[in-house]
Amino acid sequence: MYSDGMTKPSDTNHEMISVADTALEQRAAALLRRFYGYSTFRPLQMDIISTAVSGRDCVVLMPTGGGKSICYQMPALLAERGVTIVVSPLIALMKDQVSALAANGIPAAAVNSMQNEEENRHILDQLFSGRIKILYISPERLLMEIERWSSMLPIALFAIDEAHCISQWGHDFRPGYTQLTCIKRFFPNVPVMALTATADRLTREDIATQLQLNDPRLFIGSFDRPNLSLRVITDSGKTRRINYICSLIDRHSSDAGIVYCLSRRIAEDMDKQLRARGYRSAVYHAGLSVTERNMAQDRFINGELQVVCATVAFGMGIDKSNIRWVVHNNMPRNIESYYQEIGRAGRDGAKAETVMFYSYGDIATLQSFADESGQQTINTEKLNRMKEYAEASLCRRRILLSYFNETIDHDCGNCDICLDPPVRVDGTIHTLKALSAIVRVNGAVGMHMLIDILRGAARQELIAKGYHTIKTYGAGRDLSFGEWNHYISQMIQLGLIDIAYNEGNHLKITPYGSRILSTREKVELAEFVPFERRQRGSKKSAEKKQPELLPAEKLLIELKKVREKISRKERVPDYIVFTDKALQEMVRVEPVTMEEFSNVEGVGERKTVKYWKPFVTAIRRHKGIAEPLGTGFSQEETLLLLNSGYTVAEIASAKNIKEVTVYGHIAALIDADRLTDFSSVITKAQYLRVMDVARNNPESIYEILATEMPKGLPKVALSISDYLLRNKQK
Ligand code: ADP
Ligand code: ZN
C-alpha cells in the first residue's frame, strides 16, 4: 500500500484501508458515478485520493477549476469512519459548497462566523453523531475547537484549501492561517492535504514547512485550461471596447461575465455605460460598503446580473461555475493575476471566452504600481512578462503554460493567434515614415501625436509646436489612425521604438531603429485587420432580431429554463442544480428515459431521481415524442437507488417519501422479478421472524410485527418468500 515506503502511518483512523489499490479505485469510481455522475477521474485525482486514504500528507497544486474539491471529498466518502475537516478562508463560499454537496446527497455542513452561534453549536454537536461526512470551517473557528476534538472526534482527513494563504510569499497571506501548525500537534497521525492554485516554488515549500507536513507527496496538475479561449486586442479605443463587451454580453445573454478594470473609477464608468445600454450590470470594488459588495456578489451568483464591472477585489469568494466570459479592460500587473482572473471563467469545463484589451496607456500606470510596490525589480520583471504575452505573435497558451513551467508541443487552436494567424506584409515604408517622424520631432511626442503628425491632422497643439512644418507631416495620410496604431505598436514590439514611460510615454528611436532607418532593411509587420472584421460580424448578428438557432441551441435554452425554474424553487444558484457542462451533455445525449438520463455525464443518482422528469419531458417535447412519460416511475427510481447502494432510509429522504412507501416499491419490484438481491433491505433474522409469524399467526402478522420492525418490511418478506417459491418451481 505505502508503495514509496516513506511514511509509516500508525493511526487507527486508517487501518481500514487494507484493501488493494485496485479495489479502492473501483470503489472510488463507483462513488464518483453515484454521487457526482462523472465516469472518470481527471489526471492525478485518483493518485491524490489514494495518497490521502493511505494516510500520507500531500500538497496539491491545481489551477482554479482543475477539480481540487473531489480530491478531498472522495476520501471523505471512502472513509468508513471519521469526518473530513476542510479549512477554508473563504467563508462566503462555504454555503455554496455545502449546498453543492447536499444536492449530490453528501452530508456536509459549515461552521463559521456568518452563522449564528446556535447554528454553529448545533452542527458541532451533530459532528459527534457521525452523520456529517465533511465539515467546512474557518481557521479561526478551528482553533477554538481543535483541542476538544483531539480527545474525542475521529477525523479522517484535514484538507487545507487555499493553502497559499499560510505563506508570506504567497499573494494572499492571512495571519489566521499560520496557526494551522497546531493541526499536526493535536492530530499527528491524521493526514493533511494542502490545496492551492498558486504555483510558485517558494510558496509551495513554505506550505509544507508551516503545516509541518510529514514527508508530503507533491502533486502538480496541469495548468492548462483548454476550454478557455484566449484573445488580446491591442489599442482598440474606448468605444470599440464597449462595443466588443456588448457583443460578448449579447452572445451570452442568459449567462454572466466579468469585466476587470484597473481602477474603481474605470469600473464605475464601465458599469454606467453598460447600464445605459440596457444591460444588467453592477459594479464591485473595495471602495463600496460590505453590504453593497455582498449585494452585487449575490445578484451575480443568482444569475440576476449579466455582468459585473470590478477591480481585482472581485472573484476570490466566488465559486460560480458558469461564468462564460471574462474581459480585462486593462492589462493585469502580472501573469499570475491574469491567469487567476481568467480562470474564474468556465470552471464547469464548458467553453468560455476571455479577452484582454491592451494599450500602452495602461503600462505607465502599471509601471508606477510596480515602482511603488516595494519590490520594484521583481514586479517590473513580472510586468514585462505580462507585456510580452500581450504582444506575442505565438500561440498564447504556449506562452502561458511555459510561464508556469509546463510545455505543450503543439499550438492550442483556441487563441487569437492560432485562430487568426497574423499575415505578414512588407512594412518597410510605414516603418521608415514613422521612424523618421520620430527623429524629426526629437523623440518628444507620444503615440497619439506621432500618428496625428503622420496623418497630417490640423490639431491645435500640433500646429502650436510647429510639427506641421516637418517633412513627414502628412506622409501617412493613406492609413487610418487604427492602422498606424497597429503598425507602430509592432515597431515597439520589434524593438525599433522604445516608450519612455518616465517621460510622458514619448516614443524614442532605438539603436536598432536607427540602423533600419539608414540601411532601409526590409521590415515585416503583421497585416492590419479592421476591428469590425475581427469580430467576424458578431455585431451584425446581434442586430438581427431573430437569429436562426440550431436545434441543439434551442434545446439548451429549454433546458436552461427548466434549470432556472428548479433553482428558483429550491433557492439555490442554477449551477448547483446542474452545471452548464451537464446541460450540454444532455443536449448531446438527448436522454428520453430515466435510465438514459442517469447515464449523462455530470448527473448523479440524487439528481437523477429529483430532476429527471422535467428534463426528460423537455427533451421529449423537443424531439417530438408524443407519448407521455406514463406512471410507475417512483418504483424505477427506488430500484435505481437500491442498486447503487442507498438504504431504505436514504431513498425515502432522497425522494421525500415515507419509508413504508419505499418498502411497498421493493415488494412490487420483487413480485415483478426485478429485484433479486435483498440483502441490503432485510436481514436473515428479520426474514425468518416474519416467516415464523406467518406460519403461526397468519391473520395478525402486521399487528404482531408492528413494534419489531419497520412498517412495510413484513410485506417485503412475504414477497421474497413468494419469489423463492417461484424460483424453486422453475
Ligand atoms: P477547483 O476547486 O480546483 O477550482 P472544482 O473542484 O470546483 O475545482 O472543480 C471544477 C469543476 O470540475 C466542477 O464543476 C467539478 O464538478 C468538475 N470536475 C471535477 N472533477 C471532475 C471529473 N473527474 N470529471 C468531470 N468533472 C469534474
Ligand atoms: Zn493558441
Side-chain angles (χ1 to χ4, degrees), residues 38 40-42 45 63-70 347-348 579:
Y38 297 137
T40 49
F41 283 104
R42 290 194 180 149
Q45 280 180 331
T64 309
K68 288 187 284 299
S69 321
I70 284 182
R347 287 176 75 156
D348 50 15
T579 62

Coordinates of all heavy atoms in Angstrom, one line a residue, residues 38 40-42 45 63-70 347-348 579, ligand 1:
Y38 N -20.0 11.5 -12.6 CA -18.8 11.5 -13.6 C -18.3 10.1 -13.8 O -18.3 9.3 -12.8 CB -17.7 12.4 -13.0 CG -18.1 13.8 -12.8 CD1 -17.7 14.5 -11.7 CD2 -18.8 14.5 -13.8 CE1 -18.0 15.9 -11.6 CE2 -19.2 15.8 -13.7 CZ -18.8 16.5 -12.5 OH -19.1 17.8 -12.4
T40 N -15.2 9.3 -15.1 CA -13.7 9.0 -14.9 C -13.1 10.2 -14.0 O -13.6 11.3 -14.0 CB -12.9 9.1 -16.2 OG1 -13.3 10.2 -16.9 CG2 -13.1 7.8 -17.0
F41 N -12.0 9.8 -13.4 CA -11.3 10.8 -12.6 C -10.5 11.6 -13.6 O -10.0 11.1 -14.6 CB -10.4 10.2 -11.6 CG -11.2 9.7 -10.4 CD1 -11.5 8.4 -10.2 CD2 -11.6 10.7 -9.4 CE1 -12.2 8.0 -9.1 CE2 -12.4 10.3 -8.3 CZ -12.6 8.9 -8.1
R42 N -10.2 12.8 -13.3 CA -9.2 13.6 -14.0 C -7.8 13.2 -13.6 O -7.7 12.6 -12.6 CB -9.4 15.1 -13.7 CG -10.7 15.6 -14.3 CD -10.7 17.2 -14.3 NE -12.0 17.7 -14.8 CZ -12.5 18.8 -14.4 NH1 -11.9 19.6 -13.5 NH2 -13.6 19.2 -15.0
Q45 N -6.3 13.0 -9.9 CA -7.3 12.9 -8.8 C -7.2 11.6 -8.0 O -7.1 11.6 -6.8 CB -8.7 13.1 -9.3 CG -9.0 14.6 -9.6 CD -10.4 14.8 -10.2 OE1 -11.0 13.9 -10.8 NE2 -11.0 15.9 -9.9
P63 N -4.9 24.3 -11.0 CA -5.5 25.6 -11.3 C -6.9 25.7 -10.8 O -7.5 24.6 -10.6 CB -5.4 25.7 -12.8 CG -5.5 24.3 -13.3 CD -4.8 23.5 -12.2
T64 N -7.4 26.9 -10.8 CA -8.8 27.1 -10.5 C -9.7 26.3 -11.5 O -9.4 26.3 -12.7 CB -9.2 28.6 -10.6 OG1 -8.2 29.3 -9.8 CG2 -10.6 28.9 -10.1
G65 N -10.6 25.6 -11.0 CA -11.5 24.8 -11.9 C -10.8 23.4 -12.3 O -11.4 22.7 -13.1
G66 N -9.7 23.2 -11.7 CA -9.0 21.9 -12.0 C -9.6 20.7 -11.4 O -9.3 19.6 -11.8
G67 N -10.4 20.9 -10.4 CA -11.1 19.7 -9.8 C -10.4 19.3 -8.4 O -10.3 18.2 -8.1
K68 N -10.1 20.3 -7.6 CA -9.5 20.0 -6.3 C -10.5 19.5 -5.3 O -10.1 18.6 -4.5 CB -8.9 21.3 -5.8 CG -7.6 21.7 -6.5 CD -6.9 22.9 -5.8 CE -7.6 24.2 -6.0 NZ -7.7 24.7 -7.4
S69 N -11.7 19.9 -5.4 CA -12.7 19.5 -4.4 C -12.8 18.0 -4.3 O -12.9 17.5 -3.2 CB -14.1 20.2 -4.6 OG -13.9 21.5 -5.1
I70 N -13.0 17.4 -5.4 CA -13.2 15.9 -5.4 C -12.0 15.2 -4.7 O -12.2 14.2 -4.1 CB -13.5 15.4 -6.8 CG1 -14.9 15.8 -7.2 CG2 -13.2 13.9 -6.9 CD1 -15.4 15.3 -8.5
R347 N -15.4 27.3 -15.1 CA -15.0 26.3 -14.2 C -15.7 25.0 -14.3 O -15.2 24.0 -13.9 CB -15.1 26.8 -12.7 CG -14.2 27.9 -12.4 CD -14.4 28.4 -11.0 NE -14.0 27.5 -10.0 CZ -13.7 27.8 -8.8 NH1 -13.8 29.1 -8.4 NH2 -13.3 26.9 -7.9
D348 N -16.8 25.0 -15.0 CA -17.6 23.8 -15.2 C -17.0 23.0 -16.4 O -17.5 21.9 -16.7 CB -19.1 24.1 -15.5 CG -19.2 25.2 -16.5 OD1 -18.3 25.4 -17.3 OD2 -20.3 25.7 -16.7
T579 N -24.5 21.9 -13.8 CA -23.6 22.8 -14.4 C -24.0 23.0 -15.9 O -24.7 22.1 -16.5 CB -22.1 22.3 -14.4 OG1 -22.1 21.1 -15.1 CG2 -21.7 22.1 -13.0
Ligands
ADP1 P1 -11.2 23.8 -8.1 O1 -11.7 23.6 -6.6 O2 -9.9 23.1 -8.4 O3 -11.3 25.2 -8.6 P2 -13.6 22.3 -8.6 O4 -13.3 21.2 -7.6 O5 -14.6 23.3 -8.2 O6 -12.2 23.0 -9.0 O7 -13.9 21.6 -10.0 C1 -14.3 22.3 -11.1 C2 -15.3 21.6 -11.9 O8 -14.9 20.4 -12.5 C3 -16.6 21.3 -11.1 O9 -17.7 21.6 -11.9 C4 -16.4 19.8 -10.9 O10 -17.6 19.2 -10.7 C5 -15.7 19.4 -12.2 N1 -15.0 18.1 -12.0 C6 -14.1 17.8 -11.1 N2 -13.6 16.5 -11.2 C7 -14.2 16.0 -12.3 C8 -14.2 14.8 -13.0 N3 -13.4 13.8 -12.6 N4 -15.0 14.6 -14.2 C9 -15.7 15.6 -14.6 N5 -15.8 16.8 -14.0 C10 -15.1 17.0 -12.9

